[in-house]
Every structure is written in C-alpha cells, then in structure tokens.
Amino acid sequence: MAPNGSHIAHSTRVAIVGAGPAGLLLGQLLTVAGIDNIVIEQRGPDYVLGRIRAGILESVTVDALTRAGVDARLHAEGLVHHGIELSYNGSRHHIDFQALIGRSVTVYGQTEVTRDLMAARQASGMPIVYEAHDVSLHDFDTARPKVRYRKDGVTHEVACDYIAGCDGFHGVSRASVPETSKRIFERIYPFGWLGILSETPPVADELIYASHERGFALCSMRSKTRSRYYVQVPSCEKVEDWSDARFWDELRSRLDPEAAEALVTGASIEKSIAPLRSFVCEPMRFGRLFLAGDAAHIVPPTGAKGLNLAASDVLYLADGLIGLYQNDDARELDAYSEKCLRRVWKAERFSWWMTSLLHRFPDADDFAHRIQQAELDYLVGSEAACKSLAENYVGLPCE
Ligand code: RFL
Ligand code: PHB
C-alpha cells in the first residue's frame, strides 16, 4: 500500500475486466485449474443480474458450465428442446433437430447462468470487485500489463500477466486498442426487438420464430410458467409507447391462428428494446490483452448465438492459459484469435441469415418479399436446408 493509503497495489496472473457470463465463466475455469485471477466489474451484482438477455444454450456452453462446476441447477431446471417452429403465412412448420441431426439445445436463462457463476465465484473465495470506477488498461504491449480502477475513493492497480477484456460491446477493453491496430466489420439493422418477460405459461412447447408482414416475432420461454416474447420494431421506437396491451395485440397479430388463440397474456415483469447489430473486431488479441464475448463481436439475437460465442471464446482462452501455465506450451494461446474468429464468422453468417430470412426490411421491394417467401418455402420443404439450419442452431463443434 502507498504511504498515504490512497493507492493499493495488487498482483495476479489474469485480470478479467467485466463480470458478465464471459468474465465469470473464464474466472471459474481458471480457478478450477488453479490459476490466480481477479474479476473487475463496473456495475453492482443486482444490475448485472437484472439484464434479461439470452435464453438458449448450445451443448458446447452446457459442457463449459459443467466443466466450471456450475451445472447442478442447469441440469435440474433447464428445458431440453429438440427443435423449433417456423411460422409464416398462417401456418407452423416443425424443424426437428433430434430427427435431423440427433442433437438439441437447452433453455436456461442468462440471468440464471450468471447467478450460478456468481455463487460459484463467491464460494471459491477468489476476488471479484463490483462497482469499480474508471477502469483503465495499461501496458498490454509489454510483459507486465496493468488494470487500474477506483473503488470507494481509492485507486487500485492490478499488475498481471494477461488481461481478459470481457466487458461487453460498450466496454473499455476494445476501446483501449489504437484504431490502427484493429479492423472493424459492422452491419446495423434498421430495427430492434421489443421484448417482454411475463409470468405466463409459454404459448407452445418449443420456440416459435414467426415471419409476418407486420414484422418478425419470437415466442420463447424461461420455464414452464415464465415466457419471453419479442416483436420486431423500427429502430426509432420507444419502450414507453408500448403498454402491455399494445404489445400483446401486436404479438398476437403476427402469430398463426392456433398460437394466437392459445396465447396467455399477463402483466410484464420486464420490457425493453434491443437494437440489432452484426459486429466483429479483428484480431481478438493485442499483445497481452485478449478480447472475449461481446467485447469482440455482436450478433443479432435471431440465431441465439451471442452468449454461446462468449462461452466458446472463453473455453479457447482458458485452454490457452492452462496450456501455458500448466505445460509451458503457448501454442493454444497463440492460436486464440484465429480459432475464435473462424467460429465467430460462421455464427455471424448464420445470425445474419436468420435475421434476413425472418424480418421485414423497410427498404425491401416486392421482389425481395417474393425471394424471402421462396426461401422459407424451400427451407421447410428441404431436408438438406432444415439440416443446415439445425446444425448451425444447435451449434457447430468447437475445433
Ligand atoms: P456482457 O453480458 O455485456 O457483460 C459485460 C460486462 O462487462 C461490464 N463492463 C465493465 N466492467 C468493467 N469496466 C468497464 N469499463 C466495463 N464496461 C462494461 C458490464 O457491466 C457487464 O457486466 O458481455 P459477455 O459477458 O460477453 O456476454 C455476452 C452476452 O451477454 C450476449 O452475447 C447475449 O446476451 C446475447 N443474446 C443471446 N445470446 C445467446 O447465446 N442466446 C440467446 O438466446 C440470446 N438472446 C441476446 C439475446 C442478447 C439480447 N440483447 C438484449 C442484446 C436476446 C437479447 C434481447
Ligand atoms: C430468448 O429466450 O431470449 C431468446 C431465444 C432465442 C433467440 C433469442 C432470444 O433467438
């Protein structure tokens, strides 16, 4: 500690910036492997848990959570889904993943994943700092990088071997890299998703992805008694303009008659609008700084890939660091960016394709609408096309 007590120095192997699912999962995988780490988060735990986001876990993500030792509740409460339904022109078509490729996905909310990871962190006794202000990254182009932050008026400096930038799309990690060292690929869609969470039974046993002339809609769930629904809205839309009644009417109008009839409505527990974006930052490593999860890439939620990509990045990074610390072998760590990006771009492609297939684009002409219809008709009528959707949706294997 510095003489005046206003500056505290720490030292660790890996400093993890951000306590979302990427940061917490990395922390847990490193802890299980006996590698010292600290997690530094700018918000409080309630804020982190209050964000309602992903709902679908690929088996790669379930395996990662199992390896991290946080799978008990996931296995007890997660719902295994063997397929999805596609709805358009008033009828529904089942895409049966199990029959097509013998695989499935698990419905278990990001909130619950985060809650389980937070509990494991606390049980491990490893350091986690919430409400860290003015987080800044230093010297990651040298052998001894540092992360600084302020907490309760005191400045802290963490010296480490590596920094993991797991601080999401708006975080400080990617922003700390000079513009000339990174290349950005981006597409912003002219619409967002208005989402509602309600304590009502889901309208169907599986998720319904609906393409309708009024726009896309998605019927998802968190449990057998809690539903998550989305409708596509223009980017300029304000959540205050959407009463629950207006939301339910809009959703119902976009569903097939059977689902519209079966829909059970109720008060919203949460309601928010998320913009849709595709984004990739290349590379994902800058000296001793590694970006993982939304800090490095964003996908539109249509393919349910964001959290799953965060998990696969973190698996590659954890294995790279374990290889280095346990076997003095840096090969896996050196391959990190290239390996992640190969997987990321495939998920970007799939998410962009699902988004293009199912949404109404404001500038689309009659030709574009006919092509979209033809693509839906082809998809539901072709086993090969259904298999392609299925293998991407359940998640491509990690190399
Ligand atoms: P997060 O979750 O954004 O966490 C980043 C954390 O970093 C903190 N932070 C900082 N900490 C310290 N210093 C700073 N300067 C910091 N700046 C930020 C933040 O407070 C936060 O706690 O990123 P992470 O961990 O990479 O996780 C990514 C996932 O959250 C995201 O990809 C998914 O939620 C995306 N997503 C979905 N993914 C799926 O795999 N399946 C789905 O079904 C799915 N549905 C969705 C989604 C995302 C959605 N929204 C709202 C964008 C549905 C929606 C509507
Ligand atoms: C969700 O349940 O929040 C969810 C499910 C599937 C998606 C996107 C979001 O594609």
Side-chain angles (χ1 to χ4, degrees), residues 71-320:
D71 57 319
R73 219 157 56 89
L74 161 64
H75 284 125
E77 296 174 22
L79 305 173
V80 175
H81 278 200
H82 298 311
I84 56 168
E85 303 218 57
L86 284 186
S87 158
Y88 71 102
N89 291 346
S91 43
R92 261 191 273 164
H93 308 263
H94 187 218
I95 313 259
D96 188 337
F97 302 156
Q98 198 63 40
L100 287 160
I101 55 167
R103 296 181 58 202
S104 50
V105 291
T106 303
V107 176
Y108 190 68
Q110 179 168 331
T111 310
E112 303 314 313
V113 170
T114 310
R115 203 189 302 282
D116 295 344
L117 284 164
M118 281 178 172
R121 183 81 193 177
Q122 197 173 6
S124 75
M126 291 294 278
I128 180 161
V129 183
Y130 286 106
E131 287 163 0
H133 300 293
D134 301 332
V135 177
S136 58
L137 280 52
H138 305 269
D139 305 333
F140 50 82
D141 54 349
T142 73
R144 202 63 181 153
K146 291 165 199 76
V147 177
R148 283 194 203 118
Y149 61 92
R150 247 180 352 93
K151 168 96 181 159
D152 301 329
V154 179
T155 301
H156 296 252
E157 182 175 281
V158 181
C160 54
D161 299 341
Y162 295 98
I163 302 174
C166 301
D167 48 353
F169 183 65
H170 300 287
V172 67
S173 298
R174 192 183 67 252
S176 305
V177 176
E179 295 302 325
T180 49
S181 304
K182 61 193 174 195
R183 183 156 179 213
I184 302 300
F185 301 82
E186 187 168 32
R187 181 149 303 181
I188 296 173
Y189 300 87
F191 41 74
W193 280 16
L194 169 65
I196 207 171
L197 186 70
S198 64
E199 204 59 45
T200 53
V203 66
D205 291 339
E206 289 179 343
L207 271 61
I208 304 176
Y209 287 80
S211 175
H212 188 272
E213 62 190 25
R214 295 183 63 83
F216 169 75
L218 171 61
C219 304
S220 182
M221 64 190 75
R222 289 293 175 272
S223 71
K224 292 212 164 15
T225 56
R226 186 171 274 206
S227 298
R228 179 74 166 155
Y229 295 109
Y230 299 95
V231 292
Q232 172 190 349
V233 292
S235 301
C236 56
E237 210 67 30
K238 302 245 171 319
V239 72
E240 306 81 70
D241 295 333
W242 285 85
S243 64
D244 288 359
R246 183 178 174 205
F247 180 90
W248 293 120
D249 285 347
E250 188 58 49
L251 174 64
R252 201 181 285 109
S253 76
R254 299 182 189 189
L255 301 180
D256 61 280
E258 194 192 322
E261 174 74 26
L263 183 67
V264 179
T265 64
S268 63
I269 307 170
E270 193 264 1
K271 200 190 290 161
S272 53
I273 296 183
L276 261 66
R277 181 195 298 270
S278 297
F279 178 97
V280 180
C281 170
E282 287 186 3
M284 287 172 58
R285 176 186 185 168
F286 306 90
R288 286 181 174 240
L289 166 64
F290 294 86
L291 301 181
D294 280 14
H297 40 72
I298 295 286
V299 285
T302 327
K305 289 279 161 271
L307 171 61
N308 293 301
L309 278 182
S312 53
D313 289 354
V314 156
L315 271 177
Y316 290 142
L317 185 51
D319 282 341

Side-chain angles (χ1 to χ4, degrees), residues 44-57:
D46 292 344
Y47 176 90
V48 174
L49 282 175
R51 291 177 301 201
I52 310 298
R53 289 181 161 191
I56 303 293
L57 307 184

Side-chain angles (χ1 to χ4, degrees), residues 56 58 193 209 299-306 308 347 350-352 354-355 392-394:
I56 303 293
E58 298 175 1
W193 280 16
Y209 287 80
V299 285
T302 327
K305 289 279 161 271
N308 293 301
F350 177 67
S351 306
W352 161 85
M354 281 279 276
T355 304
N392 280 281
Y393 194 95
V394 304

